[in-house]
Amino acid sequence: MPDGDQARAAATETGTLAFVESPVQLLNVLEWAHTAEATAVTVVVLSPHDPMTRGQLRRMAELARDEGHAVRWEEARGGPTAPVRTIGGLTPLLRRARRVVIGDPFSRYVQLLLTLTRARDLVVVDDGTATMEFISQLARGERLVRWHRHGSGRGPRDLVFAPFSATARRRLTPAPEGGRRTVGLFSSMPVDAPPGVHVTTNEFAWTRERFGPPRLTRAADIVGTSLVETGVVDEDRYLEAVRALARTHSATRYFAHRRESTDKLRRLTQETGLEVVRPDLPLELIARRGPIGRLIVSFPSTVVHTLPLALLGTEVKVAVCDIDPAWLTTNASPRAQGFLDGVTGTARDVQRLQFGQQMAAG
């Protein structure tokens, strides 16, 4: 493998620049680079505040460097002057890049950076199930708004940022046939891309080559979700559901989402008896390395699409538990139930658990 200086030189020559803000995005950049045979990429980490996310990103950055890619860590949110400093430092790279890879088209940071690039080749890699909503909005020509946001999205900050968001959306819209700008999507999600978007399937080939197969345990594992933290699902209902799932499937471990609150997890341990595990890498890598349960139970989330691919060839079964409409909070977006049903209904190679309110309360 080339050392850091060689990787940086190679990345400059290839002109491929990737922007990531989460561990899953960085994992999917590595999967894309493996599939596209991009031997050296400059990965820019726009670091968030959350300690769990930062920790996982640092571990993923080590893996990226091991693959020969350059990693540039930006404290993009480190104080009021950080955005100006970050954007100023990245502008020369953006001007030179021939290809830009992004993990979150909804990110205001990324949208702003897209307005500065001259790259004619744009690639979007998965940012979880949000990719499904991004493609739907792109196809309908709508503003890019996260599915769980409640309200019009027309607050003062939205209005100030609107011109940048509109420019980014145009950049992410394929050029007419024969145009010089290309837009690609690298995804494991079930999407119906608009004409002109070149879709490549993410089969998690890099993950399966580098890790595993895992040792399997007898007990089941439950995968956590941040639906409570995003204001979509009521906390009491959620904990009732987790407790019932643990009892029904003899689960012993709960793999926490990196955004789950410490208070909620403490309460979950007290009320369910589950061992809470805080993964230091995305769950696809944790599961592939093992040990992992023969049954993995999840609520509607990215992993119901990605884990069957990452665990291909093993005996692990993945089950998804529906979200009962009664669990939604009064502040949940009107789109929430339909989106969550779509995540569950389009999942392949998973067992679907019809999990009603009565069972949760049981």
Side-chain angles (χ1 to χ4, degrees):
M1 291 292 178
D3 62 23
D5 291 336
Q6 290 173 313
R8 278 185 282 275
T12 300
E13 292 172 6
T14 57
T16 301
L17 195 58
F19 292 99
V20 301
E21 298 175 82
S22 76
V24 167
Q25 293 171 29
L26 183 41
L27 170 60
N28 287 319
V29 167
L30 294 180
E31 292 288 354
W32 168 82
H34 179 81
T35 301
E37 298 182 350
T39 56
V41 177
T42 297
V43 180
V44 179
V45 179
L46 302 171
S47 178
H49 291 299
D50 174 59
M52 285 298 300
T53 304
R54 289 170 66 90
Q56 287 192 16
L57 274 168
R58 291 199 182 279
R59 289 294 311 279
M60 289 303 304
E62 293 173 9
L63 295 178
R65 292 188 181 101
D66 290 343
E67 293 298 309
H69 304 301
V71 178
R72 178 169 172 153
W73 187 279
E74 293 284 344
E75 293 293 350
R77 296 166 174 86
T81 63
V84 174
R85 185 176 62 250
T86 298
I87 292 168
L90 292 175
T91 297
L93 288 175
L94 282 161
R95 297 297 190 194
R96 290 198 302 267
R98 295 194 298 274
R99 175 167 54 192
V100 171
V101 182
I102 65 172
D104 182 5
F106 294 105
S107 165
R108 285 179 171 173
Y109 230 127
V110 168
Q111 290 177 5
L112 181 56
L113 292 170
L114 283 178
T115 66
L116 302 175
T117 183
R118 298 168 181 165
R120 292 180 178 147
D121 186 3
L122 298 178
V123 180
V124 179
V125 301
D126 273 337
D127 182 33
T129 51
T131 305
M132 299 163 67
E133 187 71 358
F134 161 66
I135 287 296
S136 296
Q137 292 177 13
L138 190 67
R140 296 191 297 264
E142 297 176 352
R143 292 183 305 111
L144 300 181
V145 181
R146 299 185 193 277
W147 68 269
H148 55 76
R149 281 192 61 182
H150 191 279
S152 65
R154 294 292 189 180
R157 293 182 62 188
D158 298 289
L159 293 175
V160 169
F161 196 78
F164 301 101
S165 181
T167 299
R169 188 178 68 247
R170 287 195 296 271
R171 291 282 176 90
L172 291 166
T173 301
E177 189 171 349
R180 303 179 69 180
R181 186 179 71 255
T182 65
V183 178
L185 174 66
F186 182 73
S187 177
S188 58
M189 300 292 117
V191 294
D192 187 11
V197 175
H198 308 285
V199 181
T200 303
T201 301
N202 179 5
E203 297 178 339
F204 283 86
W206 177 80
T207 295
R208 285 186 278 112
E209 284 187 18
R210 296 296 190 273
F211 302 96
R215 178 175 65 84
L216 306 187
T217 66
R218 294 179 180 274
D221 291 322
I222 296 177
V223 177
T225 174
S226 61
L227 289 173
V228 171
E229 284 69 18
T230 53
V232 175
V233 170
D234 176 77
E235 181 173 319
D236 290 337
R237 296 287 194 180
Y238 181 78
L239 294 178
E240 288 173 2
V242 171
R243 183 168 57 246
L245 286 172
R247 182 176 63 246
T248 302
H249 299 284
S250 301
T252 58
R253 293 188 299 178
Y254 178 94
F255 285 95
H257 188 280
R258 57 189 173 82
R259 289 193 183 129
E260 287 189 84
S261 73
T262 301
D263 289 342
K264 188 187 80 175
L265 293 176
R266 185 182 301 112
R267 184 182 168 195
L268 185 145
T269 299
Q270 294 170 347
E271 297 184 14
T272 69
L274 289 167
E275 174 193 359
V276 172
V277 179
R278 285 277 201 178
D280 61 350
L281 287 168
L283 192 59
E284 293 80 5
L285 301 185
I286 294 292
R288 186 70 195 180
R289 293 192 313 176
I292 196 70
R294 293 180 181 273
L295 175 67
I296 300 175
V297 181
S298 173
F299 296 97
S301 74
T302 304
V303 299
V304 303
H305 296 275
T306 59
L307 282 180
L309 295 170
L311 293 168
L312 193 66
T314 72
E315 297 179 3
V316 178
K317 304 297 181 184
V318 179
V320 57
C321 171
D322 287 313
I323 297 293
D324 191 291
W327 302 351
L328 300 183
T329 68
T330 55
N331 294 323
S333 165
R335 296 183 294 167
Q337 188 67 50
F339 180 82
L340 293 169
D341 288 345
V343 171
T344 302
T346 55
R348 301 179 293 268
D349 301 320
V350 299
Q351 176 187 354
R352 187 165 182 179
L353 304 177
Q354 298 295 334
F355 191 84
Q357 180 180 358
Q358 292 78 11
M359 180 179 175

